[in-house]
Amino acid sequence: MIVLAAGSSTFELKDGDMGYSSTSSVTGSDIEAQRPNPESAQEGPQRKKPWSFITRWKPSAKIIKDATIGLSDGMTVPFALMAGLTTLKSKHVVVLGGAAELVAGTISMAIGGFLGERAEKKDYNAAEAETKKIIEEGRALDIIISLFEPYGVTAAVAGQIYAQLSSKPHGIRDYILKNRSGVSKPSASAAWKSALTIGLGYAFGGLLPLIPYFFVGDDEVITALAISGSIMAVALFTFGYAKTAVVEGWTGKDNVKSALIEGLYMLVIGGAATGLAFVVTRAINHGF
């Protein structure tokens, strides 16, 4: 039998559970003894690298997802439209069309993010109601056992886990919701945060290609397009690189390689969308 003791809690695994057949014990003092000493780990001067706060900063996965949706759309759709309108060789048309699309797109994307989060909240409420019914009907233990069964965990061990979850408020409910239904309780402000993140990301990404057109005349819109294209090429690559580095890490050969590939991927996708819009608009213009 294996006995795990930490503080006032004791866990026992009987012979044969999960393939164990030996007898041993691990106490809380043994666990503490194997923990690294933070004081010894900090010996010697620690010099912070410049801009290290950037590499340490890691927003939540939800913010990264919403920012990716907003920025990627904002840096491709408005720019593609402006590139197409440039074939008309009218600064006024490009600026008005681009601005109108930018405002409408920002509002639309923000509403989409808001409604998406509301839908997720409804899904959570439905899953929560179903889980409460499972617990009330006494089927929670069977669910816990079935969740661990694919990993070779015996019913006896799963029962012990069930007992531990039962000792915490809403422990069983939260575990089933997360591991069976695949949902987590959204925060009260999740919908508004998603709307702001996606909307602002779209507005920022869409504003970049429009800026050069404010400083040229009708006879220089092609020049403005070239400048705008250069800005967007850098922005698309930088965005693709940064969003990957934030998730996977800024240092290390594999991480850098992955970030470079994602940066090039964003550049190719954005360039393809822009080129297609330019060709289609030019063809329509010459057709009329």
Side-chain angles (χ1 to χ4, degrees), residues 176-217:
I176 293 177
L177 280 171
K178 183 177 181 180
N179 295 278
R180 179 176 181 267
S181 304
V183 296
S184 298
K185 187 174 182 179
S187 65
S189 59
W192 290 106
K193 287 180 180 179
S194 180
L196 286 173
T197 304
I198 294 176
L200 291 176
Y202 189 92
F204 176 76
L207 182 62
L208 290 177
L210 187 60
I211 293 174
Y213 290 95
F214 289 109
F215 304 98
V216 300

Side-chain angles (χ1 to χ4, degrees), residues 132-195:
K132 286 182 178 179
K133 185 178 180 181
I134 289 173
I135 295 173
E136 290 172 357
E137 294 176 352
R139 295 188 287 122
L141 177 58
D142 293 334
I143 297 295
I144 297 296
I145 293 174
S146 67
L147 289 173
F148 281 99
E149 187 177 8
Y151 303 99
V153 179
T154 63
V157 176
Q160 293 174 1
I161 295 173
Y162 174 86
Q164 289 297 315
L165 291 172
S166 300
S167 65
K168 298 180 180 179
H170 309 301
I172 295 176
R173 183 200 67 181
D174 293 344
Y175 188 87
I176 293 177
L177 280 171
K178 183 177 181 180
N179 295 278
R180 179 176 181 267
S181 304
V183 296
S184 298
K185 187 174 182 179
S187 65
S189 59
W192 290 106
K193 287 180 180 179
S194 180

Side-chain angles (χ1 to χ4, degrees), residues 20-22 56 85 108 156 161 174 179 190 214 221 237 267 272:
Y20 290 113
S21 59
S22 60
R56 293 197 307 268
L85 293 177
S108 176
I161 295 173
D174 293 344
N179 295 278
F214 289 109
V221 289
F237 178 82
L267 181 59

Side-chain angles (χ1 to χ4, degrees), residues 17 50 67 90 111 131 142 156 163 172 184 191-192 195 198 216 236 250 256 259 261 272 281 288:
D17 287 342
S90 171
I111 291 175
T131 302
D142 293 334
I172 295 176
S184 298
W192 290 106
I198 294 176
V216 300
L236 285 167
W250 294 85
V256 172
I261 292 174
T281 308
F288 286 100

Side-chain angles (χ1 to χ4, degrees), residues 1-4 11-24 148 151-161:
M1 178 177 66
I2 296 179
V3 181
L4 304 180
F11 309 92
E12 296 183 357
L13 301 183
K14 297 180 180 180
D15 293 347
D17 287 342
M18 298 181 69
Y20 290 113
S21 59
S22 60
T23 302
S24 60
F148 281 99
Y151 303 99
V153 179
T154 63
V157 176
Q160 293 174 1
I161 295 173

